[in-house]
Amino acid sequence: MTPVPSRERYDLAVVGGGVHGATVALFCARAGLRTILFERGSLCREASGVNAGTLTMQMTRVALIPYALQAHAMWASAPEWLGHDVGVVVCDGLSLAFTEGEAELLTYRAGKRREAGAPIDLVGPARALEIEPGLSERVLVAGHCKVDGFANAYLTGLAYRAALIEAGVTLCEQVPVAGAVPDGGGYELDTAAGTVRARRLVLAGGVWLEEMAAWLGLRLPIKVLINQLAVTERIAPVMRTVVGIASGLLSLKQYPHGTVVIGGGWQGRGDRVQGGVELVPDSLIGNMRLACHAIPALRRSRLARAWAGLEAETRDALPAAGPIPGFPDAWICGSVHSGYTSGPFIAKRLADRILERGEPDPLFPIDRLLAPEAGAAPSAPVAEAPLS
Amino acid sequence: MSSTETRADLIVVGAGPAGASAALAAHRAGLAVVLIDEAGRPGGQVWRAPAAGVAIPEALRTQDDRDGAELRAAVAASGLRFVGDARVWSVTGRFRVDAATEAGTEAFVAPRLVAATGAHERVVPFPGWTLPGVIGLAAATVLLKSEAMLPGRRTVVAGCGPLLAAVAAKIVAGGGTVSGLVDLAGPADWLAVAPRLARRPRLLRQGLGWMIRIGLARVPVHFRHAVVAAEGGEAVEQVVIAPVDAEGAPVAGTRHRIAADALAVGHGLLAGAEIPRLLRASLRFEAEAGGWIPVLDTAGRTSIAGLYAAGDGAGIAGAAGALLSGRLAGLAAARDAGALAEGAFAAARDRILAERHAVEAFAGAVRRLMRPRRGLVDAIAPETVVCRCEDVTRAEIDAAVMAGAREVNQLKHFTRCGMGPCQGRFCGDTAAELVARHVGSREAAGVWTARPPLRPVPLDTLLGDFDYADIPVPKPAPL
Ligand SMILES: Cc1cc2nc3c(=O)[nH]c(=O)nc-3n(C[C@H](O)[C@H](O)[C@H](O)COP(=O)(O)OP(=O)(O)OC[C@H]3O[C@@H](n4cnc5c(N)ncnc54)[C@H](O)[C@@H]3O)c2cc1C
Ligand SMILES: Cc1cc2nc3c(=O)[nH]c(=O)nc-3n(C[C@H](O)[C@H](O)[C@H](O)COP(=O)(O)OP(=O)(O)OC[C@H]3O[C@@H](n4cnc5c(N)ncnc54)[C@H](O)[C@@H]3O)c2cc1C
């Protein structure tokens, strides 16, 4: 049952129970902060529960590679720090090129990611087939990364729910927050369970960060991607690695229970008010064709289910993670590209900042993203955010 | 790459009594209609056509077969476009319908759509229900009608409603043995609805005919009994039955073991409202009408402009009700398209509503007999599998609720219940009942979010032949 929030001021209020909000709340609560977490629906049932679960460097933005590597290690040891299993499998990953153009793109991108620290090698078709015997023979060249893998994203909520409760977080599911304003001693939140006060505030609303920032009078434009995914029925093993493509528009792996999840960010229809309203059949078919081109044996399976989820993207496609300018003790955490992979580590670093622990990490402050007042000249987008 | 699109004024999905009559009515009013069904020929469940090459002996032909043949002749003579062997897997927009056929996938586009996809069967799990040889009561009718095949040599027929007698009589007529007819209802329950059944003398006579056939074959009838287990090694060998109360809960009394190599069991029908659900039309929960059904106006309009629902998919009402609600939805579509004047439409609508009122008493009686029984669900043992696609037991569902799952979609994430190829069509009603036991009501327990495909479809069929260059790969993600 949903606990009744206390009238006393909490040390920290987190709004949004995706992987970002839940991780911040978890580490802060374990460090002793009296923490309350609000989730409008059920924990991790938006992007953080419906995503493809791929934990890959080869789709991660270069600026995020250092975070993604650390986060990968966290996912791989989830039972140790989270205390619960999210079905993480660590395996090799391949990013494929089928055309000359893709080979060029792949070579360039793999190089950039390697410079950022991702252990990616380029391999020829024969070696690629050794690594992934299910692979099509039409591959020209492949990026190979040994630090890859996947999780069962749908288990995220179950795992975090238990961990948060064990850590003593006041977990308010099905409790939307309608606003938050400074009140002298911190922030006052207008919630479906009444007014709640906290000394510190973290906004972790995924694609709804734009609305949340508006509570404080800030305009933080967030683009909404409507990512489609498809899953086959359980089939005998057809692959053992995570397979992607140079352009980033394919993510493919087979789960131990036999289903194959096909993703890659092909777009459906929807918006942040209605959610992922519907799938576009042509784009679903395009994504599945790409998948079967990569792993031909997949063609023999049946499509069991397909869905769409909402992913947030900032103007420069880099995270919104850091303090909220002009609002002491208030932070934002989200909009991380391939944010399931990197989320736990970025959120943990934010928790460290809140707790004033260790080397402060500037993360990806949102100053660059805040839209100028009407009439003012637009500020230049920041290409690469600072990274400690 | 986009598939070829056929345009029409109206698409009707489902060519049972409801869909076929909707299509015929709209076509007669002047609309260009496409009628789609996954079966090769119109007829639906009740008037299912025999499979190609299967000849039903004259002696076994029933009124249903004759009505079905008549319907097929009417569709063939009308000139409307019937697309058979086409499985609708996606419905989007306002409206695009994608169907998987032997030839690949085909798209149809129209401003109006009638969803007439009928019902599916409810089977409340019991130990052994996943053994080979155990099939649904309704599925048995499909086998008997379309393949002229017996479920087994010695079959136990169990569950509730008129399908019990229909299946038992057909097995007997086909030369099989019914080694027990196990009815959740008792003679008193039948007597209580008899006056309402008598309002359709032809159907009552048909029912009595079945009973006579069953009586002459000396089929042992067990009223107020339920199957509590199917037992066997590789396949079902015996069926255990126990006396139950009015809600289907086992009570003290003798348990019988009946030797059998097949068990046909069904606990009522669930409305197949997948299309309205997928398109996010308003739904309401009504247990006796088959669960979550679309909210409709008197003419079958859903809350979404241009989307109509008719037949069992809009609420269980049987073939006669389906026929009438289908005709009405077809006329409403014609009216809304401007092909029918308001006066003519209103007159036709009032006539149909009056006829529907006349068949409603009978339909209500049948719904009553097929109603879900709480006790059956309560009696599910902890170790019994509820979701057969993903092997989820009742104990796992209860544990997930204890761990904080408040509604069925969260339950799905906690347990994989409903995540398999049937997308919860078989386990959904039971799983939701179990969640409802903890959260208070079926409304609170919610309903699975509908997802494409409406039916599992082979990737091979969906993808067709293609070159790599044909794949419209979007622009690369940022580096
Ligand atoms: C289909 C899909 C596939 C993806 N595949 C991958 C992948 O394979 N690998 C990868 O690394 N990343 C993937 N991603 C990206 C990844 O899922 C996201 O980046 C990440 O989950 C975002 O987490 P979040 O916590 O920021 O947002 P969310 O998980 O969306 O959480 C935000 C939460 O805030 C809540 N909320 C909103 N408003 C309020 C309010 N007013 N009050 C209270 N609560 C509120 C929402 O209900 C929601 O639960 C994918 C995304 C999608 C959609
Ligand atoms: C398996 C079964 C057997 C039954 N047998 C009998 C019986 O013997 N006697 C009796 O009186 N009643 C029977 N019933 C009850 C019967 O369904 C109704 O009384 C009557 O047939 C309802 O008519 P309808 O037009 O609403 O639906 P239906 O007759 O069920 O017609 C629905 C049609 O939609 C089609 N369809 C559904 N989904 C799709 C899709 N995604 N793509 C393409 N086509 C689709 C189906 O193939 C079907 O032909 C049965 C019900 C079921 C579920």
Side-chain angles (χ1 to χ4, degrees):
Chain A
M1 286 286 106
T2 295
V4 180
S6 141
R7 303 175 69 89
E8 278 169 55
R9 198 176 279 277
Y10 286 86
D11 294 327
L12 169 67
V14 177
V15 190
V19 72
H20 288 105
T23 307
V24 173
L26 180 65
F27 284 105
C28 287
R30 284 187 184 159
L33 297 193
R34 242 180 103 238
T35 302
I36 185 164
L37 171 63
F38 293 98
E39 167 53 51
R40 170 185 82 140
S42 305
L43 207 63
C44 296
R45 290 255 306 120
E46 295 290 350
S48 300
V50 303
N51 66 72
T54 310
L55 306 172
T56 182
M57 300 305 128
Q58 301 200 77
M59 283 171 80
T60 292
R61 297 214 60 196
V62 168
L64 295 178
I65 293 276
Y67 294 94
L69 284 168
Q70 303 260 22
H72 189 282
M74 283 177 77
W75 279 122
S77 61
E80 284 155 41
W81 63 270
L82 185 58
H84 300 273
D85 193 16
V86 197
V88 174
V89 170
V90 173
C91 62
D92 293 88
L94 290 174
S95 177
L96 313 176
F98 292 109
T99 65
E100 293 298 339
E102 285 172 358
E104 208 172 295
L105 189 67
L106 181 73
T107 309
Y108 177 71
R109 292 186 157 207
K112 286 286 175 199
R113 290 190 168 111
R114 187 167 45 239
E115 280 168 29
I120 301 175
D121 292 326
L122 290 179
V123 298
R127 175 76 187 114
L129 263 163
E130 267 169 41
I131 298 164
E132 177 50 78
L135 214 57
S136 147
E137 283 168 7
R138 282 135 115 178
V139 173
L140 293 185
V141 57
H144 173 219
C145 185
K146 288 192 94 49
V147 184
D148 213 306
F150 52 88
N152 267 327
Y154 63 85
L155 291 176
T156 322
L158 179 61
Y160 269 96
R161 195 173 194 285
L164 289 167
I165 289 170
E166 283 154 19
V169 172
T170 305
L171 175 56
C172 299
E173 288 179 284
Q174 325 297 338
V175 183
V177 175
V181 288
D183 71 346
Y187 294 86
E188 183 181 291
L189 283 77
D190 171 9
T191 86
T195 302
V196 172
R197 291 181 181 78
R199 289 214 300 118
R200 305 174 185 82
L201 173 67
V202 170
L203 303 180
V207 296
W208 299 276
L209 273 179
E210 188 171 310
E211 278 83 344
M212 292 184 181
W215 296 341
L216 301 173
L218 302 175
R219 219 169 83 65
L220 173 66
I222 300 284
K223 190 174 156 197
V224 181
L225 307 178
I226 314 293
N227 292 346
Q228 294 187 163
L229 288 179
V231 57
T232 69
E233 64 189 330
R234 298 194 216 175
I235 51 172
V238 295
M239 61 188 299
R240 53 164 290 270
T241 62
V242 170
V243 168
I245 187 163
S247 61
L249 288 145
L250 176 67
S251 89
L252 194 59
K253 70 267 175 187
Q254 184 166 24
Y255 281 83
H257 55 258
T259 62
V260 177
V261 172
I262 303 171
W266 292 61
Q267 296 294 292
R269 292 193 196 97
D271 55 51
R272 70 176 134 237
V273 178
Q274 301 180 74
V277 178
E278 64 181 29
L279 285 85
V280 176
D282 289 335
S283 117
L284 196 60
I285 289 173
N287 196 178
M288 293 189 298
R289 282 183 167 176
L290 196 51
C292 292
H293 189 76
I295 304 285
L298 254 188
R299 267 194 94 108
R300 292 197 294 270
S301 65
R302 288 189 306 170
L303 173 65
R305 201 164 63 254
W307 67 93
L310 272 46
E311 183 174 16
E313 191 174 273
T314 63
R315 188 160 35 114
D316 59 10
L318 285 169
I324 302 179
F327 293 86
D329 293 323
W331 293 269
I332 264 184
C333 194
S335 262
V336 181
H337 199 270
S338 284
Y340 191 74
T341 304
S342 312
F345 185 70
I346 288 183
K348 182 167 180 275
R349 293 302 283 207
L350 185 71
D352 287 340
R353 272 198 78 154
I354 294 171
L355 297 163
E356 296 172 357
R357 277 182 174 174
E359 279 286 294
D361 184 334
L363 290 162
F364 299 86
I366 62 166
D367 311 52
R368 72 189 200 280
L369 300 169
L370 293 177
E373 295 309 314
S379 57
V382 178
E384 225 75 311
L387 187 62
S388 65
Chain B
M1 176 210 53
S2 94
S3 355
T4 52
E5 283 183 1
T6 303
R7 293 189 168 270
D9 298 325
L10 174 70
I11 300 168
V12 180
V13 182
S21 59
L24 285 168
H27 175 78
R28 279 184 200 127
L31 299 194
V33 180
V34 176
L35 172 64
I36 310 176
D37 203 292
E38 61 184 331
R41 288 191 287 160
Q45 303 296 5
V46 60
W47 295 334
R48 178 171 291 273
V54 175
I56 307 282
E58 183 55 43
L60 295 184
R61 271 188 213 157
T62 64
Q63 186 60 39
D64 284 345
D65 298 320
R66 287 185 279 277
D67 290 341
E70 199 176 299
L71 181 85
R72 284 183 279 282
V75 171
S78 70
L80 71 85
R81 172 140 188 241
F82 173 69
V83 182
D85 290 318
R87 187 169 295 176
V88 171
W89 65 276
S90 164
V91 181
T92 55
R94 301 285 182 262
F95 300 93
R96 171 173 152 157
V97 170
D98 286 73
T101 67
E102 279 304 306
T105 169
E106 208 178 331
F108 302 87
V109 176
R112 275 161 285 274
L113 173 66
V114 175
T117 53
H120 48 263
E121 190 158 41
R122 172 194 291 116
V123 178
V124 178
F126 50 85
W129 77 296
T130 53
L131 271 179
V134 180
I135 64 170
L137 206 52
T141 70
V142 176
L143 206 61
L144 289 158
K145 283 184 196 182
S146 108
E147 310 289 341
M149 216 166 110
L150 297 172
R153 282 186 307 114
R154 300 194 312 155
T155 306
V156 172
V157 176
C160 57
L163 278 180
L164 279 176
V167 168
K170 256 190 179 315
I171 292 175
V172 169
T177 301
V178 176
S179 36
L181 193 156
V182 186
D183 191 344
L184 282 172
D189 301 310
W190 284 94
L191 277 178
V193 298
R196 281 186 279 162
L197 294 177
R199 302 274 281 275
R200 303 276 312 279
R202 196 193 99 186
L203 292 178
L204 183 66
R205 262 200 311 280
Q206 183 185 43
L208 291 175
W210 292 334
M211 293 314 289
I212 290 168
R213 185 161 252 159
I214 292 164
L216 288 176
R218 303 203 177 284
V219 171
V221 178
H222 307 268
F223 285 116
R224 275 280 173 99
H225 273 70
V227 171
V228 294
E231 298 172 342
E234 301 285 288
V236 59
E237 288 159 19
Q238 51 200 355
V239 175
V240 187
I241 66 168
V244 293
D245 67 13
E247 286 306 312
V251 294
T254 322
R255 298 192 164 209
H256 299 279
R257 263 197 170 68
I258 308 174
D261 60 357
L263 166 62
V265 56
H267 301 118
L269 295 175
L270 291 160
E274 292 102 321
I275 292 177
R277 201 148 54 86
L278 194 61
L279 294 172
R280 301 184 175 204
S282 305
L283 305 176
R284 63 195 175 89
F285 181 77
E286 206 185 303
E288 282 195 20
W292 286 96
I293 54 176
V295 175
L296 301 179
D297 77 355
T298 49
R301 297 178 181 96
T302 69
S303 63
I304 288 175
L307 177 67
Y308 312 78
D312 277 358
I316 307 297
L323 205 62
L324 294 168
S325 68
R327 190 175 305 152
L328 194 48
L331 291 175
R335 165 74 199 121
D336 298 344
L340 202 59
E342 179 58 31
F345 169 67
R349 179 195 57 207
D350 294 345
R351 264 198 317 276
I352 295 172
L353 288 176
E355 269 190 76
R356 220 163 76 179
H357 185 72
V359 299
E360 189 41 38
F362 181 90
V366 172
R367 275 199 296 269
R368 183 79 200 142
L369 291 168
M370 297 198 309
R371 74 182 201 283
R373 278 129 169 119
R374 273 188 77 92
L376 271 185
V377 173
D378 290 332
I380 300 172
E383 64 280 6
T384 299
V385 167
V386 172
C387 168
R388 53 194 302 174
C389 297
E390 295 291 337
D391 291 322
V392 182
T393 63
R394 177 190 180 149
E396 288 169 294
I397 292 172
D398 288 339
V401 175
M402 289 306 161
R406 311 310 305 161
E407 48 93 29
V408 292
N409 290 295
Q410 204 179 4
L411 172 77
K412 181 163 151 183
H413 275 213
F414 279 27
T415 59
R416 290 193 65 81
C417 184
M419 272 205 199
C422 92
Q423 289 201 36
R425 264 191 299 278
F426 291 114
C427 64
D429 190 63
T430 302
E433 276 295 308
L434 291 171
V435 173
R437 293 289 189 276
H438 298 273
V439 300
S441 69
R442 281 296 291 268
E443 282 79 4
V447 55
W448 309 124
T449 307
R451 307 280 190 212
L454 293 172
R455 295 277 193 276
V457 268
L459 258 51
D460 216 20
T461 309
L462 291 179
L463 303 194
D465 287 328
F466 65 93
D467 287 327
Y468 188 61
D470 297 338
I471 305 175
V473 182
K475 76 176 181 21
L479 180 58

